[in-house]
Amino acid sequence: MSGTEMAYLKGEVMPLADAKISIMTHALHYGTAVFEGIRANWNAEHEQLYLFRMREHYERLRKSAHALMMDLPLSDDQLCEITIDLVRRSGFKQDVYIRPMVYKSAELLGVRLHGVEDDFLCFLIPWGAYLDTTGGVHVVTSSWRRTEDQSIPVRAKVTGAYINSALAKTEAETAGFDEAIMLNEDGHVSEGSGENIFIVNDGVIYTPPSSDNILVGITRNTVVELAEQELGIPTVERTLDRSELWLADEVFMTGTAAHVTPISSVDRRVINGGETGPITAQLERLYFDAIIGNRDAYAHWLTPIYTDGYTDD
Ligand code: PMP
């Protein structure tokens, strides 16, 4: 690892190892924080690290903060500048994962949102593949239902809500699967513990709508656009039943951490003979090319980090 893990805390930039907060921090006790995961992807040929759709992540962070009645005094431009500076200073020449957060920073006890001071922090670490996608992943329908919007705002990426994801992920992994798929209270397919889900049938792509309690993923939007623009394949947003996953031609997941991940079995039902299907394979390739700057048409999604040595030819 050549590079330094860096953090932005209380308005200052420092090595991640020095970034400390009090054990009385409100967010630690009550899950009162909202966050994002942003990737910067390394292209060895370009000798460049590209931040992917940073602005969209900060737009979602702002909405999440709004849902928890938080102040986010920094503008989107300032948030982007802080992030670029942090990644640049870290000096990594490999894939990194950036974790921005708005958290209730006040050192006080009391379960509430109002009248509790908040702050912005950000840090980054090198991070490669989240799921081992060689040969596709094995998923299982969770016994845990995806959090309903009546309980916790599902469109906001709230730290406390991730106990739902953690329960499902642990249940799946300790039972020998790679990932969990959660249904909503209606029994319809919602999403993975940290990914959105898609199926392909007769050349059409389907994915659950936001009203089925999903977090509306930025990778999800990216894949919908790539499928439409590059493959001429529309994505239909509609409620999906569990057994549609079993019987689909192809099933895949998307997420910042997971990229485009082919699913080779659902509840032990093998999908497409265990092989990655043709549309999933094309989307995986298109997505990977786009995030490392090998697709000019999508350069507007990228923010190059290193100004020295960068060539765009
Ligand atoms: N659902 C959940 C619960 C997630 O945590 C994530 C990861 N942020 C996603 C979906 C995918 O969202 P994105 O593509 O924006 O990373």
Side-chain angles (χ1 to χ4, degrees):
M1 179 175 91
S2 70
T4 312
E5 295 171 338
M6 298 296 290
Y8 177 94
L9 182 69
K10 299 178 183 166
E12 282 177 37
V13 176
M14 61 193 81
L16 178 59
D18 297 338
K20 309 274 195 239
I21 54 171
S22 161
I23 59 171
M24 266 194 76
T25 305
H26 196 271
L28 175 65
H29 296 265
Y30 307 117
T32 45
V34 294
F35 69 107
E36 278 300 318
I38 309 176
R39 267 190 189 271
N41 303 290
W42 175 246
N43 183 321
E45 265 173 44
H46 297 189
E47 291 199 21
Q48 186 57 274
L49 197 51
Y50 292 104
L51 276 160
F52 187 65
R53 304 196 78 170
M54 171 173 54
R55 200 162 278 276
E56 289 89 333
H57 280 284
Y58 281 122
E59 283 163 8
R60 191 170 66 186
L61 184 71
R62 189 171 298 284
K63 287 186 178 159
S64 296
H66 180 68
L68 292 203
M69 303 170 80
M70 291 165 148
D71 296 322
L72 182 51
L74 300 163
S75 67
D76 287 356
D77 282 345
Q78 285 171 314
L79 292 167
C80 291
E81 275 162 31
I82 289 168
T83 309
I84 294 165
D85 178 58
L86 211 57
V87 181
R88 196 173 281 156
R89 287 197 207 202
S90 76
F92 285 114
K93 297 193 165 184
Q94 65 194 95
D95 295 347
V96 300
Y97 184 83
I98 299 128
R99 167 54 48 83
M101 180 178 281
V102 188
Y103 68 110
K104 292 283 184 193
S105 55
E107 293 167 22
L108 62 83
L109 297 180
V111 187
R112 62 174 192 272
L113 296 176
H114 65 283
V116 183
E117 200 186 342
D118 45 73
D119 201 0
F120 170 78
L121 66 75
C122 187
F123 67 86
L124 68 106
I125 54 167
W127 206 14
Y130 176 65
L131 295 167
D132 181 5
T133 59
T134 338
V137 297
H138 303 280
V139 304
V140 64
T141 305
S142 185
S143 71
W144 296 98
R145 295 297 170 104
R146 165 75 175 153
T147 317
E148 290 286 313
D149 198 59
Q150 299 96 308
S151 303
I152 294 180
V154 288
R155 286 167 192 79
K157 209 166 152 56
V158 178
T159 56
Y162 274 78
I163 198 66
N164 180 237
S165 287
L167 286 163
K169 179 78 171 178
T170 288
E171 181 185 61
E173 282 197 348
T174 53
F177 297 90
D178 299 303
E179 185 53 283
I181 301 300
M182 282 182 283
L183 308 180
N184 62 19
E185 286 293 342
D186 298 339
H188 296 127
V189 176
S190 185
E191 60 179 356
S193 70
E195 306 86 9
N196 294 118
I197 189 157
F198 291 75
I199 64 171
V200 182
N201 263 336
D202 298 326
V204 180
I205 303 175
Y206 300 88
T207 196
S210 71
S211 50
D212 280 340
N213 290 353
I214 66 166
L215 180 82
V216 181
I218 289 162
T219 321
R220 175 183 183 271
N221 296 349
T222 301
V223 161
V224 168
E225 190 168 336
L226 289 172
E228 177 82 55
Q229 297 297 323
E230 302 296 324
L231 308 179
I233 300 177
T235 299
V236 178
E237 284 192 17
R238 73 156 171 82
T239 290
L240 296 179
D241 289 330
R242 175 185 186 171
S243 60
E244 288 189 271
L245 302 184
W246 299 350
L247 306 180
D249 295 342
E250 301 178 34
V251 188
F252 64 91
M253 290 187 302
T254 64
T256 297
H259 300 301
V260 175
T261 297
I263 291 178
S264 53
S265 76
V266 182
D267 300 335
R268 306 262 185 235
R269 275 75 172 175
V270 173
I271 309 296
N272 196 45
E275 301 290 320
T276 300
I279 293 175
T280 307
Q282 287 179 84
L283 288 171
E284 212 181 349
R285 170 58 44 204
L286 284 165
Y287 177 76
F288 184 66
D289 282 347
I291 64 173
I292 60 166
N294 283 347
R295 287 248 154 200
D296 289 348
Y298 303 101
H300 59 281
W301 285 339
L302 307 178
T303 308
I305 289 297
Y306 299 121
T307 40
D308 295 342
Y310 172 64
T311 50
D312 60 357
D313 55 14

Coordinates of all heavy atoms in Angstrom, one line a residue, residues 48-127:
Q48 N -4.2 7.2 -13.5 CA -5.2 8.2 -13.0 C -6.2 7.5 -12.1 O -6.5 6.3 -12.3 CB -5.9 8.8 -14.2 CG -6.9 9.9 -13.8 CD -6.2 11.0 -13.1 OE1 -6.2 11.0 -11.9 NE2 -5.8 12.1 -13.8
L49 N -6.6 8.2 -11.1 CA -7.6 7.7 -10.2 C -8.9 8.6 -10.5 O -8.8 9.8 -10.5 CB -7.1 8.0 -8.7 CG -7.8 7.3 -7.6 CD1 -7.9 5.8 -7.8 CD2 -7.0 7.6 -6.3
Y50 N -10.0 7.9 -10.8 CA -11.2 8.6 -11.1 C -12.3 8.4 -10.1 O -12.7 7.3 -9.8 CB -11.8 8.0 -12.5 CG -10.9 8.3 -13.7 CD1 -10.2 7.2 -14.2 CD2 -10.9 9.5 -14.3 CE1 -9.4 7.5 -15.4 CE2 -10.2 9.7 -15.5 CZ -9.4 8.7 -16.0 OH -8.7 8.9 -17.1
L51 N -12.7 9.5 -9.5 CA -13.9 9.5 -8.6 C -15.1 9.3 -9.5 O -15.3 9.9 -10.5 CB -14.0 10.9 -7.9 CG -13.2 11.1 -6.7 CD1 -13.0 12.6 -6.4 CD2 -13.8 10.4 -5.5
F52 N -16.0 8.4 -9.0 CA -17.2 8.1 -9.8 C -18.5 8.8 -9.2 O -18.8 8.5 -8.1 CB -17.4 6.6 -9.9 CG -18.5 6.2 -10.8 CD1 -18.4 6.5 -12.2 CD2 -19.7 5.6 -10.3 CE1 -19.4 6.1 -13.0 CE2 -20.7 5.2 -11.2 CZ -20.5 5.5 -12.6
R53 N -19.1 9.6 -10.0 CA -20.4 10.3 -9.7 C -20.4 10.9 -8.3 O -21.4 10.7 -7.6 CB -21.5 9.3 -10.0 CG -21.5 8.7 -11.4 CD -22.8 8.1 -11.8 NE -23.8 9.1 -12.2 CZ -24.9 8.8 -12.8 NH1 -25.3 7.5 -13.1 NH2 -25.8 9.7 -13.1
M54 N -19.3 11.6 -8.0 CA -19.2 12.2 -6.7 C -20.4 13.1 -6.4 O -20.9 13.1 -5.3 CB -17.9 12.9 -6.6 CG -17.7 13.8 -5.4 SD -16.0 14.5 -5.3 CE -15.8 15.3 -6.9
R55 N -20.7 14.0 -7.4 CA -21.7 15.0 -7.1 C -23.1 14.3 -6.8 O -23.8 14.8 -5.9 CB -21.9 15.9 -8.3 CG -22.5 17.2 -8.1 CD -22.2 18.2 -9.2 NE -20.9 18.8 -9.0 CZ -20.7 19.9 -8.2 NH1 -21.6 20.4 -7.6 NH2 -19.5 20.4 -8.2
E56 N -23.4 13.3 -7.5 CA -24.7 12.6 -7.2 C -24.7 12.0 -5.8 O -25.7 12.0 -5.1 CB -24.9 11.4 -8.2 CG -25.3 11.9 -9.6 CD -24.1 12.1 -10.5 OE1 -22.9 12.4 -10.0 OE2 -24.2 12.0 -11.7
H57 N -23.5 11.5 -5.4 CA -23.4 11.0 -4.0 C -23.7 12.1 -3.0 O -24.4 11.9 -2.0 CB -22.1 10.3 -3.7 CG -22.0 9.0 -4.3 ND1 -22.6 7.9 -3.7 CD2 -21.4 8.5 -5.4 CE1 -22.4 6.8 -4.4 NE2 -21.6 7.1 -5.4
Y58 N -23.1 13.3 -3.3 CA -23.3 14.4 -2.3 C -24.8 14.9 -2.4 O -25.3 15.4 -1.3 CB -22.3 15.5 -2.5 CG -21.0 15.1 -1.8 CD1 -19.8 15.0 -2.5 CD2 -21.0 14.7 -0.5 CE1 -18.6 14.6 -1.9 CE2 -19.8 14.3 0.2 CZ -18.7 14.2 -0.6 OH -17.5 13.8 0.1
E59 N -25.4 14.8 -3.5 CA -26.8 15.2 -3.6 C -27.6 14.3 -2.7 O -28.5 14.7 -2.0 CB -27.3 15.2 -5.1 CG -26.8 16.4 -5.8 CD -26.9 16.3 -7.3 OE1 -27.5 15.3 -7.8 OE2 -26.4 17.2 -8.0
R60 N -27.3 13.0 -2.8 CA -28.1 12.0 -1.9 C -27.7 12.2 -0.5 O -28.6 12.2 0.4 CB -27.7 10.6 -2.4 CG -28.7 9.6 -1.7 CD -28.5 8.2 -2.3 NE -27.2 7.6 -2.1 CZ -26.8 6.4 -2.6 NH1 -27.6 5.8 -3.4 NH2 -25.6 6.0 -2.3
L61 N -26.5 12.6 -0.2 CA -26.1 12.8 1.2 C -26.9 14.0 1.8 O -27.4 14.0 2.9 CB -24.6 13.1 1.4 CG -24.1 13.3 2.8 CD1 -24.1 12.0 3.6 CD2 -22.7 13.9 2.8
R62 N -27.1 15.0 1.0 CA -27.8 16.2 1.4 C -29.3 15.9 1.7 O -29.9 16.3 2.7 CB -27.7 17.3 0.3 CG -28.2 18.7 0.7 CD -27.9 19.7 -0.3 NE -26.5 19.9 -0.5 CZ -25.7 20.6 0.4 NH1 -26.2 21.1 1.5 NH2 -24.4 20.7 0.2
K63 N -29.8 15.0 0.8 CA -31.2 14.6 1.0 C -31.3 13.8 2.3 O -32.3 13.9 3.1 CB -31.7 13.8 -0.2 CG -32.0 14.7 -1.3 CD -32.7 14.0 -2.5 CE -32.9 15.0 -3.6 NZ -33.1 14.4 -4.9
S64 N -30.4 12.9 2.5 CA -30.4 12.0 3.7 C -30.3 13.0 4.9 O -31.1 12.7 5.9 CB -29.2 11.1 3.7 OG -29.3 10.2 2.7
A65 N -29.4 14.0 4.9 CA -29.3 14.9 6.0 C -30.6 15.7 6.3 O -31.0 15.9 7.4 CB -28.1 15.8 5.8
H66 N -31.2 16.0 5.2 CA -32.5 16.8 5.3 C -33.5 15.9 6.0 O -34.3 16.4 6.9 CB -32.9 17.1 3.9 CG -34.2 17.9 3.8 ND1 -34.3 19.2 4.3 CD2 -35.4 17.5 3.4 CE1 -35.6 19.6 4.1 NE2 -36.3 18.6 3.6
A67 N -33.5 14.6 5.7 CA -34.5 13.7 6.3 C -34.3 13.6 7.9 O -35.2 13.5 8.6 CB -34.4 12.3 5.7
L68 N -33.0 13.8 8.3 CA -32.8 13.7 9.7 C -32.7 15.1 10.3 O -32.1 15.3 11.4 CB -31.5 12.9 10.0 CG -31.5 11.4 9.8 CD1 -30.4 10.7 10.6 CD2 -32.8 10.8 10.0
M69 N -33.2 16.1 9.6 CA -33.2 17.5 10.1 C -31.8 18.0 10.5 O -31.6 18.6 11.6 CB -34.2 17.6 11.3 CG -35.6 17.2 10.9 SD -36.6 17.0 12.3 CE -37.1 18.7 12.6
M70 N -30.8 17.7 9.7 CA -29.4 18.1 10.0 C -29.1 19.3 9.1 O -29.6 19.5 8.0 CB -28.5 17.0 9.6 CG -28.6 15.8 10.5 SD -27.7 14.4 9.7 CE -27.2 13.5 11.2
D71 N -28.1 20.1 9.7 CA -27.6 21.2 8.9 C -26.4 20.7 8.1 O -25.6 19.9 8.7 CB -27.0 22.3 9.8 CG -28.1 22.9 10.6 OD1 -29.2 23.1 10.1 OD2 -27.9 23.2 11.8
L72 N -26.3 21.0 6.9 CA -25.0 20.7 6.2 C -24.6 22.0 5.5 O -25.0 22.3 4.4 CB -25.3 19.6 5.1 CG -24.1 19.1 4.3 CD1 -23.0 18.7 5.2 CD2 -24.5 17.9 3.4
P73 N -23.8 22.8 6.3 CA -23.5 24.1 5.9 C -22.6 24.2 4.7 O -22.4 25.2 4.0 CB -22.8 24.8 7.1 CG -22.4 23.6 8.0 CD -23.2 22.4 7.6
L74 N -21.9 23.0 4.3 CA -21.0 23.0 3.2 C -21.8 22.8 1.9 O -22.8 22.1 1.8 CB -20.0 21.9 3.3 CG -19.1 21.9 4.5 CD1 -18.5 20.6 4.8 CD2 -18.0 23.0 4.4
S75 N -21.4 23.6 0.8 CA -22.1 23.5 -0.5 C -21.6 22.2 -1.2 O -20.6 21.6 -0.8 CB -21.8 24.7 -1.3 OG -20.4 24.6 -1.7
D76 N -22.4 21.8 -2.2 CA -21.9 20.6 -3.0 C -20.5 20.8 -3.5 O -19.7 19.9 -3.5 CB -22.9 20.3 -4.1 CG -24.2 19.7 -3.6 OD1 -24.3 19.5 -2.4 OD2 -25.1 19.5 -4.4
D77 N -20.2 22.0 -4.0 CA -18.9 22.4 -4.5 C -17.8 22.2 -3.4 O -16.8 21.6 -3.6 CB -18.8 23.8 -5.0 CG -19.4 23.9 -6.4 OD1 -19.7 22.9 -7.0 OD2 -19.7 25.0 -6.8
Q78 N -18.1 22.7 -2.2 CA -17.2 22.5 -1.1 C -16.9 21.1 -0.7 O -15.8 20.6 -0.5 CB -17.6 23.3 0.1 CG -17.5 24.8 0.0 CD -18.1 25.6 1.1 OE1 -19.3 25.3 1.5 NE2 -17.4 26.5 1.7
L79 N -18.0 20.3 -0.7 CA -17.9 18.9 -0.4 C -17.0 18.2 -1.4 O -16.2 17.3 -1.1 CB -19.3 18.2 -0.3 CG -20.2 18.7 0.8 CD1 -21.6 18.2 0.6 CD2 -19.6 18.2 2.2
C80 N -17.3 18.5 -2.7 CA -16.5 17.9 -3.8 C -15.0 18.3 -3.6 O -14.1 17.5 -3.8 CB -17.0 18.3 -5.1 SG -18.6 17.6 -5.5
E81 N -14.8 19.6 -3.3 CA -13.4 20.1 -3.2 C -12.7 19.4 -2.0 O -11.5 18.9 -2.1 CB -13.3 21.6 -2.9 CG -13.4 22.4 -4.2 CD -13.8 23.8 -3.9 OE1 -13.5 24.3 -2.8 OE2 -14.4 24.4 -4.8
I82 N -13.4 19.2 -0.9 CA -12.8 18.5 0.3 C -12.4 17.1 -0.1 O -11.3 16.6 0.2 CB -13.8 18.5 1.5 CG1 -13.9 19.9 2.0 CG2 -13.3 17.5 2.5 CD1 -15.1 20.1 3.0
T83 N -13.3 16.5 -0.9 CA -13.0 15.1 -1.2 C -11.9 14.9 -2.2 O -11.0 14.1 -2.0 CB -14.3 14.5 -1.9 OG1 -15.4 14.8 -1.0 CG2 -14.2 13.0 -2.1
I84 N -11.8 15.8 -3.2 CA -10.7 15.7 -4.2 C -9.4 15.9 -3.5 O -8.4 15.2 -3.7 CB -10.9 16.8 -5.3 CG1 -12.2 16.4 -6.1 CG2 -9.7 16.9 -6.2 CD1 -12.7 17.5 -7.0
D85 N -9.4 16.9 -2.6 CA -8.2 17.3 -1.9 C -7.7 16.1 -1.0 O -6.5 15.7 -1.0 CB -8.5 18.5 -1.0 CG -7.3 18.9 -0.1 OD1 -6.2 19.1 -0.7 OD2 -7.4 18.9 1.1
L86 N -8.7 15.4 -0.3 CA -8.3 14.3 0.5 C -7.8 13.1 -0.3 O -6.7 12.5 0.1 CB -9.6 13.9 1.2 CG -9.6 13.3 2.6 CD1 -8.9 14.2 3.6 CD2 -11.0 12.9 3.1
V87 N -8.4 12.8 -1.4 CA -7.9 11.7 -2.2 C -6.6 12.0 -2.8 O -5.6 11.2 -2.8 CB -8.9 11.3 -3.3 CG1 -8.5 10.1 -4.1 CG2 -10.3 11.0 -2.7
R88 N -6.4 13.3 -3.2 CA -5.1 13.7 -3.8 C -4.0 13.6 -2.8 O -3.0 13.0 -3.1 CB -5.3 15.1 -4.4 CG -4.2 15.5 -5.3 CD -4.5 16.8 -5.9 NE -5.4 16.8 -7.0 CZ -6.2 17.8 -7.4 NH1 -6.1 19.0 -6.7 NH2 -7.0 17.7 -8.4
R89 N -4.3 14.1 -1.6 CA -3.3 14.1 -0.6 C -2.9 12.6 -0.1 O -1.8 12.4 0.4 CB -3.8 14.8 0.7 CG -3.8 16.3 0.5 CD -3.9 16.9 1.9 NE -4.5 18.2 1.9 CZ -4.3 19.0 2.9 NH1 -3.5 18.7 3.9 NH2 -4.8 20.2 2.8
S90 N -3.9 11.7 -0.2 CA -3.6 10.4 0.2 C -2.6 9.7 -0.7 O -1.8 8.8 -0.3 CB -4.9 9.5 0.2 OG -5.3 9.2 -1.1
G91 N -2.6 10.1 -2.0 CA -1.5 9.6 -2.9 C -1.7 8.2 -3.4 O -0.7 7.6 -3.9
F92 N -2.8 7.6 -3.2 CA -3.0 6.2 -3.6 C -3.0 6.0 -5.1 O -3.6 6.8 -5.8 CB -4.3 5.6 -3.0 CG -4.1 5.2 -1.5 CD1 -4.9 5.9 -0.6 CD2 -3.3 4.3 -1.1 CE1 -4.8 5.7 0.8 CE2 -3.2 4.0 0.3 CZ -3.9 4.7 1.2
K93 N -2.4 4.9 -5.5 CA -2.5 4.5 -7.0 C -3.2 3.2 -7.0 O -2.6 2.2 -7.5 CB -1.1 4.5 -7.6 CG -0.5 5.9 -7.5 CD 0.7 6.1 -8.4 CE 1.0 7.6 -8.5 NZ 2.1 7.8 -9.5
Q94 N -4.4 3.1 -6.5 CA -5.2 1.9 -6.5 C -6.6 2.3 -6.2 O -6.8 3.5 -5.8 CB -4.6 0.9 -5.4 CG -4.8 1.4 -4.0 CD -4.0 0.6 -3.0 OE1 -2.8 1.0 -2.7 NE2 -4.5 -0.5 -2.5
D95 N -7.5 1.3 -6.2 CA -8.9 1.7 -6.0 C -9.1 2.1 -4.5 O -8.6 1.5 -3.6 CB -9.8 0.5 -6.2 CG -9.8 0.0 -7.7 OD1 -9.4 0.8 -8.5 OD2 -10.3 -1.1 -7.9
V96 N -9.8 3.2 -4.3 CA -10.1 3.6 -2.9 C -11.6 3.8 -2.7 O -12.3 4.0 -3.7 CB -9.3 4.9 -2.5 CG1 -7.8 4.7 -2.6 CG2 -9.8 6.1 -3.3
Y97 N -12.0 3.8 -1.5 CA -13.4 3.9 -1.1 C -13.4 5.1 -0.1 O -12.7 5.1 0.8 CB -13.8 2.6 -0.4 CG -15.3 2.6 0.0 CD1 -16.3 2.3 -1.0 CD2 -15.7 2.9 1.3 CE1 -17.6 2.2 -0.6 CE2 -17.0 2.8 1.6 CZ -18.0 2.5 0.7 OH -19.3 2.4 1.0
I98 N -14.4 6.0 -0.4 CA -14.5 7.2 0.4 C -15.8 7.2 1.2 O -16.8 6.8 0.7 CB -14.4 8.4 -0.5 CG1 -13.1 8.4 -1.3 CG2 -14.6 9.7 0.2 CD1 -13.2 8.5 -2.8
R99 N -15.7 7.5 2.4 CA -16.8 7.4 3.3 C -17.1 8.8 3.9 O -16.5 9.2 4.9 CB -16.5 6.5 4.4 CG -17.5 6.4 5.6 CD -18.9 6.3 5.3 NE -19.2 5.2 4.4 CZ -19.4 3.9 4.7 NH1 -19.2 3.5 5.9 NH2 -19.7 3.0 3.8
P100 N -18.0 9.6 3.2 CA -18.4 10.9 3.8 C -19.6 10.6 4.8 O -20.4 9.7 4.5 CB -18.9 11.7 2.6 CG -18.7 10.8 1.4 CD -18.5 9.4 1.9
M101 N -19.7 11.5 5.8 CA -20.8 11.3 6.8 C -21.2 12.6 7.4 O -20.4 13.5 7.6 CB -20.3 10.3 7.8 CG -21.2 10.0 8.9 SD -20.5 8.8 10.1 CE -20.7 7.3 9.3
V102 N -22.5 12.8 7.6 CA -23.0 13.9 8.4 C -23.5 13.2 9.7 O -24.3 12.3 9.6 CB -24.1 14.7 7.8 CG1 -24.4 15.9 8.6 CG2 -23.7 15.1 6.3
Y103 N -22.9 13.6 10.8 CA -23.3 12.8 12.1 C -23.6 13.8 13.2 O -23.1 14.9 13.2 CB -22.1 11.9 12.5 CG -20.8 12.7 12.9 CD1 -20.4 12.6 14.3 CD2 -20.1 13.4 12.0 CE1 -19.3 13.3 14.7 CE2 -19.0 14.1 12.4 CZ -18.6 14.0 13.8 OH -17.5 14.7 14.2
K104 N -24.4 13.3 14.1 CA -24.8 14.1 15.3 C -23.5 14.1 16.2 O -23.3 13.1 16.8 CB -26.0 13.5 16.0 CG -27.3 13.7 15.1 CD -27.8 15.1 15.3 CE -29.1 15.3 14.5 NZ -29.5 16.7 14.4
S105 N -22.8 15.2 16.1 CA -21.5 15.2 16.8 C -21.5 15.7 18.2 O -20.6 15.5 19.0 CB -20.6 16.2 16.0 OG -21.2 17.4 15.9
A106 N -22.7 16.2 18.7 CA -22.8 16.7 20.0 C -22.5 15.5 21.0 O -22.9 14.4 20.8 CB -24.2 17.2 20.3
E107 N -21.8 15.9 22.1 CA -21.5 14.9 23.1 C -22.6 15.0 24.2 O -22.4 15.7 25.2 CB -20.1 15.2 23.7 CG -19.1 14.9 22.6 CD -17.7 15.4 22.9 OE1 -17.4 15.6 24.1 OE2 -16.9 15.7 22.0
L108 N -23.7 14.4 23.9 CA -24.8 14.4 24.9 C -25.7 13.2 24.7 O -25.7 12.6 23.6 CB -25.6 15.7 24.7 CG -26.4 16.0 23.4 CD1 -27.7 15.3 23.3 CD2 -26.6 17.5 23.3
L109 N -26.4 12.9 25.8 CA -27.3 11.8 25.7 C -28.7 12.3 25.6 O -29.0 13.4 26.1 CB -27.2 10.9 27.0 CG -25.8 10.2 27.2 CD1 -25.8 9.4 28.4 CD2 -25.4 9.3 26.0
G110 N -29.6 11.6 24.9 CA -31.0 12.0 24.7 C -31.4 11.6 23.3 O -30.8 12.2 22.3
V111 N -32.4 10.7 23.2 CA -32.8 10.3 21.9 C -33.7 11.3 21.2 O -34.9 11.4 21.6 CB -33.6 8.9 22.0 CG1 -33.8 8.4 20.6 CG2 -32.8 7.9 22.8
R112 N -33.2 12.0 20.3 CA -33.9 13.0 19.5 C -33.1 13.5 18.3 O -31.9 13.2 18.3 CB -34.4 14.2 20.4 CG -33.2 15.0 20.9 CD -33.7 16.2 21.7 NE -32.6 17.1 22.0 CZ -31.9 17.1 23.1 NH1 -32.1 16.1 24.0 NH2 -30.9 17.9 23.2
L113 N -33.7 14.2 17.4 CA -33.0 14.7 16.3 C -32.8 16.2 16.5 O -31.7 16.8 16.2 CB -33.8 14.5 15.0 CG -34.0 13.1 14.5 CD1 -34.9 13.0 13.3 CD2 -32.6 12.4 14.3
H114 N -33.8 16.9 17.1 CA -33.7 18.4 17.1 C -32.8 18.8 18.3 O -32.6 18.1 19.3 CB -35.1 18.9 17.4 CG -35.7 18.5 18.7 ND1 -36.2 17.3 18.9 CD2 -35.8 19.2 19.9 CE1 -36.6 17.2 20.2 NE2 -36.4 18.3 20.8
G115 N -32.1 20.0 18.0 CA -31.3 20.6 19.0 C -30.0 19.7 19.3 O -29.5 19.9 20.4
V116 N -29.6 18.9 18.4 CA -28.4 18.2 18.6 C -27.4 18.5 17.4 O -27.7 18.3 16.3 CB -28.6 16.6 18.6 CG1 -27.3 15.9 18.8 CG2 -29.7 16.2 19.6
E117 N -26.3 19.1 17.8 CA -25.4 19.6 16.8 C -24.8 18.5 15.9 O -24.6 17.4 16.3 CB -24.2 20.2 17.5 CG -23.4 21.2 16.7 CD -22.1 21.7 17.5 OE1 -22.1 21.5 18.8 OE2 -21.2 22.2 16.9
D118 N -24.6 18.8 14.6 CA -24.1 17.8 13.7 C -22.9 18.4 13.0 O -22.6 19.6 13.0 CB -25.1 17.3 12.7 CG -26.0 18.4 12.1 OD1 -25.4 19.1 11.2 OD2 -27.1 18.5 12.5
D119 N -22.1 17.5 12.3 CA -20.9 17.9 11.6 C -20.7 17.0 10.5 O -21.3 15.9 10.4 CB -19.7 17.8 12.6 CG -18.5 18.7 12.2 OD1 -18.6 19.3 11.1 OD2 -17.5 18.7 12.9
F120 N -19.8 17.4 9.6 CA -19.4 16.5 8.4 C -18.0 15.9 8.6 O -17.1 16.6 9.1 CB -19.4 17.4 7.2 CG -18.9 16.8 5.9 CD1 -19.6 15.9 5.2 CD2 -17.6 17.0 5.5 CE1 -19.1 15.2 4.1 CE2 -17.0 16.4 4.4 CZ -17.8 15.5 3.7
L121 N -17.9 14.7 8.3 CA -16.6 14.1 8.3 C -16.4 13.2 7.0 O -17.4 12.9 6.3 CB -16.3 13.2 9.5 CG -17.1 11.9 9.8 CD1 -16.7 10.8 8.9 CD2 -17.0 11.5 11.2
C122 N -15.2 12.9 6.7 CA -14.9 12.1 5.5 C -13.6 11.4 5.7 O -12.7 12.0 6.3 CB -14.9 13.1 4.3 SG -14.7 12.3 2.7
F123 N -13.5 10.2 5.2 CA -12.2 9.5 5.2 C -12.1 8.5 4.0 O -13.1 8.3 3.4 CB -11.9 8.8 6.5 CG -12.8 7.6 6.8 CD1 -12.4 6.4 6.3 CD2 -13.9 7.8 7.6 CE1 -13.2 5.3 6.6 CE2 -14.7 6.7 7.9 CZ -14.4 5.4 7.4
L124 N -10.9 8.1 3.7 CA -10.8 7.1 2.6 C -9.8 6.0 3.0 O -8.9 6.2 3.8 CB -10.4 7.8 1.4 CG -9.0 8.4 1.3 CD1 -8.1 7.5 0.4 CD2 -9.1 9.8 0.7
I125 N -10.1 4.8 2.4 CA -9.2 3.7 2.6 C -9.1 3.0 1.2 O -10.0 3.1 0.4 CB -9.8 2.6 3.6 CG1 -11.2 2.2 3.2 CG2 -9.8 3.2 5.0 CD1 -11.8 1.0 3.9
P126 N -8.0 2.3 1.0 CA -7.9 1.5 -0.2 C -8.9 0.3 -0.1 O -9.0 -0.2 1.0 CB -6.5 0.9 -0.2 CG -5.8 1.6 0.9 CD -6.8 2.1 1.9
W127 N -9.6 0.1 -1.2 CA -10.6 -1.0 -1.1 C -10.9 -1.6 -2.5 O -11.3 -0.9 -3.4 CB -11.9 -0.5 -0.5 CG -12.7 -1.6 0.2 CD1 -12.3 -2.8 0.5 CD2 -14.1 -1.5 0.6 NE1 -13.3 -3.5 1.1 CE2 -14.4 -2.8 1.2 CE3 -15.1 -0.5 0.5 CZ2 -15.7 -3.0 1.7 CZ3 -16.3 -0.8 1.1 CH2 -16.6 -2.0 1.7

